[in-house]
Amino acid sequence: DFGTPASRATETVTLEIDGFPVTVPAGTSVMRAAAEAGISVPKLCATDSLDAFGSCRLCLVEIEGRAGTPASCTTPVTPGMKVRTQTPKLKQLRRGVMELYISDHPLDCLTCAANGDCELQDMAGAVGLRDVRYEAVENHFTPRNAGGDLNPQWMAKDESNPYFTYDPSKCIVCSRCVRACEEVQGTFALTIEGRGFDSRVSAGMASDSFLTSDCVSCGACVQACPTATLQEKSVIEIGTPERAVVTTCAYCGVGCSFKAE
Ligand code: FES
């Protein structure tokens, strides 16, 4: 996974990443250029098949002569650019970002259907997170707050779709599902409601479940989800198959891929 889609430009750009010269097509993201050079930048919201969105802030880099720490997935390469991906400051920032994610996430990894196949889990390890300093008293997954009142942000699982479940408590709002629905399937069934801490994925403002929404059950959102938020029911019921093949759905011409036993 190179993190962002390939550029089709014919002209090339040469830059330096962590001291290594890299030549890539113009319009390539810094993240993809790094991947082409064998340098992996931590990420959660970027994938090969979806337009970069820049929401998770895990892929921060330093660029010589440029203030701040831009997201490598949304920053295009420029000639002569000098990029650093692994400085102590970046490592500290990434651990801080990951700490915030984990402080608002259920810690039931051992019994979670995505255990061993979870990008949040992988990235927590990749950035070296060992401790979470923030006490999760009132967050998205807690049905009741510390005072015993129903948490106004809590949402029940949506199990209405026959093929997959939606568990908002595990959502990191990376919007990969929303973008997959739009960019891969062209359905526009999903959206993000609310702002900031109140943001959440929703199967359409006018619908109260996936089953009654415009969702066509193509599975593109499930495949795009980096956690167990959108999970195949078969995986929840019988676990991840030990051996799986990736097959392409023949239902329409989009070409969505699925794991099959
Ligand atoms: Fe770049 Fe998420 S991968 S901001």
XYZ file of all heavy atoms in Angstrom, residues 141-249:
808
model
N -17.894 5.743 23.103
C -18.309 4.347 23.250
C -18.942 4.065 24.608
O -19.421 2.972 24.850
C -17.140 3.390 22.992
C -16.013 3.500 23.970
C -16.062 2.843 25.176
C -14.878 4.223 23.653
C -15.014 2.923 26.062
C -13.826 4.309 24.533
C -13.896 3.667 25.746
N -18.923 5.024 25.512
C -19.469 4.774 26.838
C -20.970 5.047 26.845
O -21.392 6.185 26.663
C -18.798 5.706 27.874
O -17.393 5.649 27.678
C -19.141 5.302 29.276
N -21.810 4.017 27.039
C -23.255 4.270 27.027
C -23.672 5.272 28.099
O -24.524 6.101 27.877
C -23.869 2.896 27.282
C -22.804 1.920 26.920
C -21.497 2.600 27.198
N -23.014 5.182 29.275
C -23.380 6.114 30.347
C -22.128 6.829 30.823
O -21.042 6.261 30.853
C -24.019 5.357 31.514
C -25.305 4.710 31.090
C -26.230 4.330 32.222
N -27.493 3.856 31.634
C -28.531 4.635 31.407
N -28.512 5.910 31.722
N -29.628 4.138 30.860
N -22.280 8.083 31.186
C -21.122 8.844 31.644
C -20.834 8.528 33.111
O -21.523 7.712 33.735
C -21.309 10.341 31.376
C -22.466 10.915 32.185
O -22.826 10.379 33.229
N -23.047 11.987 31.697
N -19.813 9.225 33.645
C -19.376 8.912 35.007
C -20.495 9.110 36.029
O -20.530 8.440 37.061
C -18.169 9.785 35.350
N -21.431 10.024 35.738
C -22.531 10.274 36.680
C -23.689 9.305 36.515
O -24.680 9.390 37.233
N -23.584 8.384 35.545
C -24.640 7.395 35.341
C -25.687 7.827 34.334
O -26.635 7.096 34.048
N -25.536 9.046 33.787
C -26.512 9.522 32.790
C -26.171 8.944 31.428
O -25.004 8.675 31.132
C -26.475 11.060 32.688
C -26.812 11.696 34.023
O -27.670 11.130 34.727
O -26.184 12.718 34.359
N -27.204 8.795 30.597
C -26.966 8.293 29.245
C -26.085 9.296 28.508
O -26.369 10.491 28.486
C -28.292 8.105 28.511
C -28.197 7.351 27.197
C -27.736 5.908 27.415
C -29.531 7.368 26.472
N -24.993 8.819 27.949
C -24.079 9.684 27.217
C -24.773 10.154 25.937
O -25.144 9.342 25.113
C -22.806 8.892 26.883
C -21.740 9.764 26.278
O -22.025 10.840 25.766
N -20.519 9.296 26.333
N -24.936 11.450 25.761
C -25.692 11.940 24.592
C -25.008 11.589 23.269
O -25.664 11.579 22.232
C -25.732 13.461 24.800
C -24.685 13.764 25.817
C -24.494 12.530 26.639
N -23.705 11.285 23.297
C -23.010 10.979 22.050
C -23.045 9.498 21.716
O -22.660 9.095 20.626
C -21.555 11.429 22.152
C -21.432 12.931 22.210
C -20.028 13.335 22.542
O -19.343 12.658 23.293
N -19.587 14.425 21.983
N -23.468 8.682 22.645
C -23.416 7.247 22.427
C -24.425 6.814 21.374
O -25.535 7.295 21.302
C -23.698 6.520 23.742
C -23.733 5.039 23.597
C -22.675 4.211 23.389
C -24.901 4.203 23.632
N -23.088 2.920 23.297
C -24.458 2.869 23.436
C -26.257 4.433 23.797
C -25.331 1.794 23.419
C -27.124 3.364 23.775
C -26.656 2.065 23.587
N -23.996 5.884 20.508
C -24.900 5.329 19.499
C -24.840 3.810 19.599
O -23.760 3.248 19.747
C -24.411 5.688 18.097
C -24.710 7.100 17.663
S -23.835 7.401 16.122
C -24.731 6.372 14.981
N -25.977 3.179 19.459
C -25.993 1.713 19.478
C -25.419 1.183 18.168
O -25.362 1.902 17.170
C -27.427 1.234 19.646
N -24.987 -0.090 18.183
C -24.532 -0.738 16.950
C -25.684 -0.813 15.951
O -26.829 -1.014 16.352
C -24.115 -2.183 17.239
C -22.737 -2.333 17.778
C -22.442 -3.826 17.862
C -21.307 -4.073 18.820
N -21.082 -5.486 19.077
N -25.352 -0.702 14.679
C -26.357 -0.882 13.628
C -26.099 -2.253 12.993
O -25.082 -2.456 12.331
C -26.211 0.243 12.597
C -27.256 0.142 11.481
O -27.918 -0.901 11.372
O -27.382 1.116 10.718
N -27.008 -3.185 13.263
C -26.841 -4.544 12.723
C -27.883 -4.843 11.660
O -28.161 -6.000 11.349
C -26.915 -5.559 13.866
C -25.794 -5.321 14.880
C -25.766 -6.336 15.990
O -26.846 -6.791 16.401
O -24.657 -6.671 16.440
N -28.474 -3.780 11.102
C -29.593 -3.969 10.176
C -29.169 -4.568 8.835
O -29.943 -5.279 8.205
C -30.289 -2.628 9.937
O -29.390 -1.696 9.343
N -27.950 -4.302 8.392
C -27.520 -4.853 7.102
C -27.261 -6.351 7.245
O -26.658 -6.781 8.230
C -26.241 -4.134 6.638
C -25.836 -4.566 5.237
O -25.318 -5.654 5.037
N -26.111 -3.715 4.264
N -27.685 -7.167 6.291
C -27.505 -8.623 6.446
C -26.044 -9.081 6.361
O -25.724 -10.185 6.792
C -28.316 -9.206 5.277
C -28.555 -8.087 4.332
C -28.494 -6.815 5.107
N -25.161 -8.239 5.829
C -23.781 -8.695 5.605
C -22.743 -8.123 6.563
O -21.697 -8.690 6.754
C -23.354 -8.362 4.172
C -24.312 -8.878 3.148
C -25.113 -8.015 2.415
C -24.456 -10.251 2.942
C -26.020 -8.490 1.487
C -25.367 -10.735 2.025
C -26.146 -9.851 1.300
O -27.059 -10.327 0.389
N -23.019 -6.954 7.107
C -22.013 -6.345 7.987
C -22.671 -5.543 9.096
O -23.859 -5.210 9.024
C -21.061 -5.453 7.179
C -21.723 -4.301 6.465
C -21.992 -3.111 7.133
C -22.071 -4.405 5.131
C -22.596 -2.054 6.484
C -22.679 -3.340 4.468
C -22.948 -2.168 5.150
N -21.886 -5.245 10.126
C -22.374 -4.427 11.233
C -21.616 -3.104 11.265
O -20.493 -3.014 10.769
C -22.177 -5.122 12.594
O -20.779 -5.332 12.780
C -22.905 -6.433 12.668
N -22.210 -2.122 11.877
C -21.580 -0.819 12.061
C -21.544 -0.538 13.555
O -22.582 -0.418 14.198
C -22.369 0.262 11.313
C -21.969 1.671 11.685
C -20.651 2.104 11.538
C -22.899 2.575 12.202
C -20.276 3.394 11.891
C -22.538 3.870 12.544
C -21.225 4.265 12.398
O -20.856 5.534 12.750
N -20.351 -0.474 14.123
C -20.185 -0.224 15.550
C -19.502 1.127 15.722
O -18.276 1.243 15.626
C -19.329 -1.331 16.173
C -19.142 -1.120 17.668
O -19.591 -0.077 18.191
O -18.536 -2.000 18.320
N -20.279 2.192 15.983
C -19.693 3.536 16.043
C -18.677 3.705 17.158
O -17.845 4.600 17.100
C -20.914 4.451 16.256
C -22.000 3.572 16.722
C -21.729 2.196 16.214
N -18.711 2.831 18.166
C -17.757 2.986 19.270
C -16.321 2.761 18.805
O -15.373 3.196 19.431
C -18.091 2.006 20.399
O -17.717 0.688 20.042
N -16.153 2.087 17.678
C -14.792 1.784 17.203
C -14.348 2.705 16.081
O -13.288 2.522 15.489
C -14.727 0.323 16.764
C -15.168 -0.589 17.900
C -14.595 -1.949 17.869
C -14.823 -2.596 19.234
N -14.485 -3.981 19.284
N -15.191 3.695 15.774
C -14.924 4.565 14.625
C -13.914 5.650 14.989
O -14.010 6.284 16.036
C -16.227 5.198 14.160
S -16.016 6.251 12.723
N -12.934 5.860 14.109
C -11.963 6.936 14.320
C -12.240 8.108 13.359
O -11.423 9.000 13.218
C -10.523 6.421 14.166
C -10.301 5.805 12.778
C -10.180 5.435 15.268
C -8.844 5.495 12.467
N -13.360 8.060 12.656
C -13.806 9.117 11.746
C -12.729 9.476 10.708
O -12.466 10.655 10.447
C -14.294 10.368 12.515
C -15.238 11.185 11.635
C -15.009 9.999 13.779
N -12.114 8.448 10.144
C -11.102 8.678 9.108
C -11.756 8.962 7.765
O -11.096 9.385 6.827
C -10.186 7.468 8.993
S -11.027 5.958 8.433
N -13.037 8.655 7.664
C -13.878 8.875 6.471
C -13.529 7.966 5.304
O -13.974 8.204 4.183
C -13.860 10.349 6.035
O -12.875 10.605 5.087
N -12.736 6.927 5.538
C -12.424 6.013 4.434
C -13.686 5.346 3.896
O -13.830 5.135 2.691
C -11.381 4.977 4.880
C -9.968 5.526 4.803
C -8.932 4.732 5.547
N -8.830 3.328 5.195
C -7.835 2.538 5.577
N -6.842 3.041 6.324
N -7.804 1.291 5.255
N -14.617 5.016 4.788
C -15.865 4.379 4.338
C -16.691 5.342 3.492
O -17.243 4.960 2.457
C -16.662 3.897 5.549
S -17.004 5.186 6.764
N -16.755 6.606 3.939
C -17.534 7.611 3.209
C -16.929 7.817 1.821
O -17.632 7.853 0.808
C -17.551 8.951 3.991
C -18.317 10.014 3.217
C -18.165 8.758 5.369
N -15.597 7.910 1.770
C -14.929 8.138 0.484
C -15.027 6.905 -0.414
O -15.183 7.017 -1.623
C -13.463 8.540 0.721
C -13.347 9.968 1.274
C -11.922 10.335 1.575
N -11.423 9.709 2.780
C -10.177 9.300 2.956
N -9.299 9.404 1.986
N -9.802 8.777 4.103
N -14.949 5.706 0.182
C -15.079 4.489 -0.635
C -16.471 4.417 -1.242
O -16.638 4.048 -2.409
C -14.800 3.250 0.211
N -17.476 4.769 -0.452
C -18.858 4.750 -0.942
C -19.006 5.705 -2.129
O -19.642 5.383 -3.128
C -19.803 5.148 0.198
S -21.541 4.941 -0.191
N -18.360 6.864 -2.027
C -18.466 7.859 -3.099
C -17.554 7.530 -4.278
O -17.966 7.481 -5.432
C -18.069 9.240 -2.560
C -19.039 9.793 -1.543
C -18.535 11.095 -0.936
O -17.534 11.652 -1.434
O -19.131 11.533 0.041
N -16.261 7.299 -3.960
C -15.268 7.212 -5.042
C -15.215 5.836 -5.698
O -14.933 5.723 -6.884
C -13.868 7.552 -4.490
C -13.760 8.984 -3.992
C -12.438 9.243 -3.275
O -11.432 8.576 -3.579
O -12.420 10.116 -2.385
N -15.443 4.775 -4.929
C -15.372 3.425 -5.484
C -16.729 3.010 -6.044
O -16.842 2.522 -7.160
C -14.906 2.403 -4.414
C -14.897 0.991 -4.976
C -13.529 2.775 -3.903
N -17.771 3.229 -5.245
C -19.086 2.734 -5.631
C -19.962 3.797 -6.281
O -20.874 3.477 -7.030
C -19.786 2.144 -4.386
C -21.170 1.590 -4.609
C -21.175 0.388 -5.544
O -20.131 -0.225 -5.757
N -22.316 0.070 -6.107
N -19.685 5.080 -5.988
C -20.497 6.160 -6.549
C -21.900 6.198 -5.989
O -22.839 6.638 -6.647
N -22.065 5.734 -4.753
C -23.411 5.629 -4.181
C -23.786 6.815 -3.287
O -24.942 7.187 -3.197
C -23.533 4.320 -3.367
O -23.308 3.236 -4.260
C -24.924 4.161 -2.764
N -22.821 7.395 -2.604
C -23.077 8.544 -1.715
C -24.086 8.196 -0.613
O -24.923 9.008 -0.251
C -23.567 9.758 -2.514
C -22.570 10.239 -3.523
C -22.538 9.708 -4.806
C -21.629 11.211 -3.187
C -21.592 10.137 -5.738
C -20.686 11.642 -4.108
C -20.674 11.105 -5.386
N -24.017 6.962 -0.108
C -24.956 6.568 0.955
C -24.488 7.031 2.331
O -25.289 7.153 3.245
C -25.119 5.046 0.968
N -23.179 7.270 2.484
C -22.646 7.603 3.808
C -22.248 9.074 3.885
O -21.893 9.685 2.878
C -21.422 6.740 4.124
C -21.637 5.232 4.083
C -20.347 4.497 4.411
C -22.726 4.834 5.060
N -22.260 9.573 5.110
C -21.828 10.954 5.320
C -21.251 11.061 6.723
O -21.334 10.121 7.510
C -23.023 11.921 5.144
O -22.537 13.258 5.163
C -24.061 11.756 6.241
N -20.624 12.193 7.027
C -20.183 12.445 8.403
C -21.051 13.556 8.965
O -21.120 14.644 8.401
C -18.698 12.815 8.467
C -17.864 11.593 8.071
C -18.315 13.279 9.879
C -16.386 11.812 8.077
N -21.700 13.248 10.066
C -22.556 14.231 10.732
C -21.778 14.882 11.866
O -20.930 14.252 12.475
C -23.753 13.531 11.398
C -24.801 13.017 10.465
C -25.921 12.358 11.271
O -25.930 12.451 12.517
O -26.774 11.744 10.639
N -22.121 16.101 12.191
C -21.566 16.761 13.367
C -20.195 17.339 13.136
O -19.626 17.254 12.051
N -19.621 17.898 14.192
C -18.328 18.571 14.138
C -17.464 18.104 15.309
O -17.988 17.796 16.376
C -18.492 20.087 14.266
C -19.059 20.749 13.030
C -17.947 21.028 12.017
N -18.447 21.757 10.866
C -19.039 21.185 9.823
N -19.221 19.895 9.796
N -19.447 21.907 8.804
N -16.144 18.115 15.117
C -15.211 17.827 16.202
C -15.530 16.508 16.898
O -15.728 15.483 16.258
N -15.586 16.554 18.229
C -15.790 15.342 19.009
C -17.150 14.701 18.728
O -17.367 13.520 18.957
C -15.673 15.685 20.498
C -15.434 14.499 21.378
C -14.304 13.718 21.212
C -16.333 14.170 22.367
C -14.076 12.611 22.025
C -16.110 13.069 23.197
C -14.980 12.294 23.012
N -18.086 15.501 18.221
C -19.427 14.975 17.924
C -19.521 14.340 16.546
O -20.577 13.829 16.174
C -20.466 16.103 18.006
C -20.632 16.622 19.423
O -20.370 15.846 20.351
O -20.999 17.792 19.588
N -18.438 14.379 15.754
C -18.498 13.832 14.386
C -18.760 12.337 14.419
O -18.200 11.624 15.248
C -17.172 14.043 13.652
O -16.728 15.329 13.803
N -19.585 11.892 13.492
C -19.797 10.447 13.390
C -20.288 10.096 11.987
O -20.945 10.887 11.319
C -20.768 9.945 14.436
C -22.134 10.557 14.316
C -22.946 10.207 15.547
N -24.323 10.628 15.396
C -25.182 10.643 16.383
N -24.818 10.262 17.580
N -26.425 11.012 16.180
N -19.946 8.868 11.585
C -20.385 8.387 10.283
C -21.858 8.041 10.373
O -22.323 7.477 11.367
C -19.564 7.144 9.872
C -20.164 6.483 8.640
C -18.125 7.540 9.619
N -22.582 8.392 9.330
C -24.012 8.134 9.333
C -24.426 7.628 7.954
O -23.917 8.087 6.938
C -24.729 9.438 9.686
O -26.064 9.393 9.275
N -25.355 6.682 7.949
C -25.844 6.142 6.675
C -26.959 7.035 6.147
O -28.100 6.614 5.967
C -26.333 4.715 6.857
N -26.632 8.296 5.934
C -27.609 9.228 5.371
C -28.402 9.919 6.449
O -28.887 9.268 7.375
N -28.528 11.217 6.348
C -29.234 11.997 7.367
C -30.709 11.603 7.455
O -31.309 11.675 8.512
C -29.162 13.491 7.005
C -27.763 14.009 6.824
S -26.910 14.160 8.373
C -26.652 15.906 8.432
N -31.281 11.189 6.317
C -32.721 10.924 6.312
C -33.052 9.485 6.691
O -34.206 9.084 6.681
C -33.278 11.222 4.926
N -32.023 8.708 7.023
C -32.287 7.297 7.278
C -31.824 6.941 8.685
O -30.899 7.549 9.207
C -31.533 6.491 6.228
O -30.883 5.436 6.794
N -32.458 5.966 9.314
C -32.013 5.646 10.666
C -31.206 4.359 10.721
O -30.809 3.921 11.779
C -33.214 5.584 11.629
C -34.249 4.578 11.170
O -34.000 3.908 10.158
O -35.294 4.467 11.830
N -30.935 3.716 9.596
C -30.106 2.517 9.611
C -29.501 2.281 8.225
O -29.949 2.857 7.243
C -30.929 1.293 10.016
O -31.761 0.917 8.938
N -28.489 1.396 8.179
C -27.895 1.052 6.883
C -28.937 0.415 5.971
O -28.948 0.634 4.773
C -26.710 0.092 7.072
C -25.408 0.805 7.272
C -25.061 1.331 8.505
C -24.521 0.962 6.215
C -23.867 2.000 8.691
C -23.318 1.632 6.386
C -22.989 2.153 7.628
N -29.832 -0.375 6.569
C -30.786 -1.109 5.736
C -31.763 -0.169 5.030
O -32.140 -0.413 3.883
C -31.557 -2.114 6.594
C -32.332 -3.175 5.812
C -31.392 -4.017 4.977
C -33.153 -4.044 6.736
N -32.140 0.902 5.702
C -33.110 1.814 5.088
C -32.428 2.959 4.338
O -33.100 3.838 3.813
C -34.049 2.405 6.163
O -33.238 3.026 7.164
C -34.925 1.353 6.778
N -31.106 2.943 4.302
C -30.374 4.015 3.604
C -30.214 3.658 2.122
O -30.740 2.643 1.651
C -28.986 4.175 4.234
O -28.172 3.092 3.854
N -29.424 4.465 1.410
C -29.172 4.190 -0.010
C -28.086 3.124 -0.218
O -27.692 2.848 -1.348
C -28.730 5.478 -0.729
C -29.873 6.465 -0.860
O -31.035 6.018 -0.802
O -29.601 7.674 -1.007
N -27.559 2.557 0.879
C -26.497 1.537 0.792
C -26.945 0.370 -0.088
O -28.073 -0.108 0.031
C -26.193 1.037 2.207
S -25.109 -0.389 2.268
N -26.048 -0.078 -0.992
C -26.389 -1.201 -1.872
C -25.641 -2.479 -1.447
O -25.563 -3.440 -2.209
C -26.076 -0.866 -3.346
C -26.962 0.247 -3.852
C -24.592 -0.507 -3.539
N -25.051 -2.467 -0.243
C -24.344 -3.634 0.315
C -23.174 -4.080 -0.562
O -22.882 -5.265 -0.649
C -25.305 -4.818 0.526
O -26.347 -4.460 1.404
N -22.502 -3.129 -1.201
C -21.382 -3.530 -2.072
C -20.170 -3.946 -1.256
O -19.304 -4.671 -1.744
C -21.010 -2.385 -3.014
S -20.126 -1.024 -2.215
N -20.048 -3.461 -0.014
C -18.931 -3.856 0.841
C -17.698 -2.985 0.700
O -16.704 -3.201 1.396
N -17.738 -1.961 -0.152
C -16.559 -1.105 -0.326
C -16.192 -0.415 0.988
O -15.005 -0.273 1.319
C -16.819 -0.071 -1.415
N -17.198 -0.020 1.766
C -16.930 0.655 3.043
C -16.293 -0.302 4.037
O -15.392 0.073 4.796
C -18.207 1.259 3.600
S -19.532 0.078 3.897
N -16.755 -1.544 4.037
C -16.233 -2.540 4.974
C -14.761 -2.811 4.655
O -13.915 -2.892 5.545
C -17.057 -3.844 4.890
C -16.501 -4.896 5.833
C -18.520 -3.567 5.198
N -14.469 -2.916 3.370
C -13.098 -3.173 2.970
C -12.189 -1.998 3.321
O -11.009 -2.170 3.638
C -13.044 -3.438 1.473
C -11.729 -4.030 1.062
C -11.583 -4.098 -0.440
O -12.225 -3.356 -1.178
N -10.738 -4.983 -0.892
N -12.746 -0.784 3.283
C -11.925 0.407 3.525
C -11.698 0.675 5.009
O -10.752 1.369 5.368
C -12.602 1.618 2.886
N -12.548 0.133 5.870
C -12.493 0.463 7.308
C -11.204 -0.064 7.942
O -10.894 -1.245 7.835
C -13.704 -0.124 8.026
S -13.725 0.270 9.786
N -10.451 0.799 8.644
C -9.191 0.336 9.256
C -9.370 -0.322 10.621
O -8.408 -0.834 11.201
C -8.386 1.630 9.388
C -9.421 2.695 9.568
C -10.642 2.249 8.791
N -10.590 -0.281 11.176
C -10.828 -0.877 12.498
C -11.986 -1.881 12.366
O -12.314 -2.289 11.270
C -11.204 0.224 13.522
O -12.488 0.755 13.164
C -10.180 1.345 13.542
N -12.614 -2.204 13.489
C -13.758 -3.134 13.442
C -15.079 -2.385 13.384
O -16.125 -2.958 13.655
C -13.741 -4.043 14.664
N -15.044 -1.109 13.014
C -16.286 -0.325 12.979
C -17.272 -0.919 11.983
O -18.433 -1.148 12.291
C -15.965 1.134 12.589
O -14.951 1.618 13.449
C -17.201 2.004 12.683
N -16.798 -1.157 10.770
C -17.612 -1.838 9.760
C -17.001 -3.216 9.591
O -15.848 -3.346 9.161
C -17.591 -1.041 8.455
C -18.425 0.244 8.502
C -17.934 1.250 7.478
C -19.896 -0.063 8.288
N -17.723 -4.219 9.975
C -17.149 -5.565 10.022
C -18.102 -6.582 9.404
O -19.308 -6.534 9.672
C -16.863 -5.928 11.491
C -16.177 -7.231 11.718
C -14.750 -7.256 11.156
O -14.562 -7.689 10.029
N -13.772 -6.815 11.924
N -17.562 -7.479 8.603
C -18.396 -8.538 8.017
C -18.988 -9.404 9.133
O -18.272 -9.779 10.067
C -17.547 -9.429 7.114
C -17.103 -8.763 5.833
C -16.047 -9.594 5.128
O -16.364 -10.716 4.746
O -14.921 -9.113 5.008
N -20.255 -9.741 9.006
C -20.894 -10.562 10.041
C -20.247 -11.938 10.122
O -20.139 -12.518 11.195
C -22.399 -10.683 9.763
C -23.147 -9.408 10.129
C -24.642 -9.551 10.064
C -25.308 -8.309 10.644
N -26.747 -8.251 10.410
N -19.790 -12.451 8.988
C -19.182 -13.786 9.020
C -17.905 -13.770 9.863
O -17.597 -14.727 10.576
C -18.857 -14.257 7.600
O -17.917 -13.388 7.002
N -17.154 -12.664 9.816
C -15.923 -12.568 10.616
C -16.273 -12.478 12.096
O -15.625 -13.083 12.954
C -15.076 -11.354 10.165
C -13.916 -11.113 11.118
C -14.579 -11.554 8.746
N -17.342 -11.725 12.408
C -17.762 -11.610 13.810
C -18.211 -12.970 14.336
O -17.887 -13.367 15.450
C -18.909 -10.577 13.942
C -18.370 -9.184 13.600
C -19.513 -10.595 15.333
C -19.439 -8.117 13.499
N -18.935 -13.719 13.494
C -19.516 -14.977 13.959
C -18.505 -16.117 14.011
O -18.465 -16.886 14.959
C -20.696 -15.363 13.060
C -21.944 -14.572 13.409
C -22.921 -14.464 12.250
O -22.829 -15.277 11.313
O -23.762 -13.551 12.276
N -17.643 -16.214 12.987
C -16.744 -17.383 12.963
C -15.269 -17.023 12.967
O -14.403 -17.885 12.932
C -17.039 -18.299 11.750
C -16.899 -17.524 10.452
C -18.399 -18.938 11.864
C -17.042 -18.401 9.214
N -14.965 -15.721 13.016
C -13.568 -15.307 13.079
C -12.964 -15.121 11.699
O -13.538 -15.508 10.683
N -11.771 -14.549 11.689
C -11.076 -14.334 10.428
C -10.556 -15.660 9.914
O -9.908 -16.394 10.654
C -9.884 -13.376 10.644
O -10.344 -12.264 11.394
C -9.289 -12.905 9.329
N -10.848 -15.995 8.658
C -10.335 -17.269 8.151
C -8.808 -17.303 8.178
O -8.161 -16.281 7.955
C -10.855 -17.319 6.710
C -11.384 -15.973 6.411
C -11.618 -15.257 7.673
N -8.260 -18.489 8.490
C -6.800 -18.601 8.551
C -6.172 -18.348 7.192
O -5.152 -17.730 7.061
C -6.427 -20.005 9.019
C -5.701 -19.985 10.340
C -5.465 -21.369 10.849
O -4.881 -22.159 10.097
O -5.884 -21.655 11.987
N -6.848 -18.872 6.179
C -6.363 -18.626 4.827
C -7.484 -17.956 4.058
O -8.628 -18.378 4.120
C -5.984 -19.934 4.133
C -4.766 -20.586 4.795
C -4.213 -21.729 4.006
N -5.250 -22.554 3.394
C -5.050 -23.246 2.294
N -3.907 -23.201 1.690
N -6.015 -23.990 1.786
N -7.172 -16.887 3.379
C -8.212 -16.170 2.645
C -7.701 -15.787 1.267
O -6.511 -15.586 1.066
C -8.617 -14.926 3.416
N -8.601 -15.745 0.326
C -8.240 -15.252 -1.001
C -9.038 -13.985 -1.261
O -10.137 -13.825 -0.752
C -8.534 -16.283 -2.116
C -7.643 -17.478 -2.016
C -9.997 -16.679 -2.108
N -8.461 -13.089 -2.007
C -9.186 -11.867 -2.349
C -9.844 -12.091 -3.698
O -9.203 -12.513 -4.655
C -8.236 -10.664 -2.403
C -8.974 -9.419 -2.881
C -7.638 -10.417 -1.026
N -11.155 -11.889 -3.743
C -11.887 -12.107 -4.975
C -12.593 -10.805 -5.384
O -12.801 -9.926 -4.556
C -12.905 -13.255 -4.781
O -13.510 -13.534 -6.032
C -13.991 -12.881 -3.797
N -12.916 -10.697 -6.639
C -13.550 -9.466 -7.127
C -15.035 -9.705 -7.369
O -15.409 -10.665 -8.036
C -12.874 -9.009 -8.436
O -11.487 -8.834 -8.170
C -13.453 -7.679 -8.917
N -15.866 -8.851 -6.790
C -17.314 -8.969 -6.911
C -17.732 -8.788 -8.374
O -17.282 -7.860 -9.048
C -17.969 -7.912 -6.033
S -19.743 -7.798 -6.263
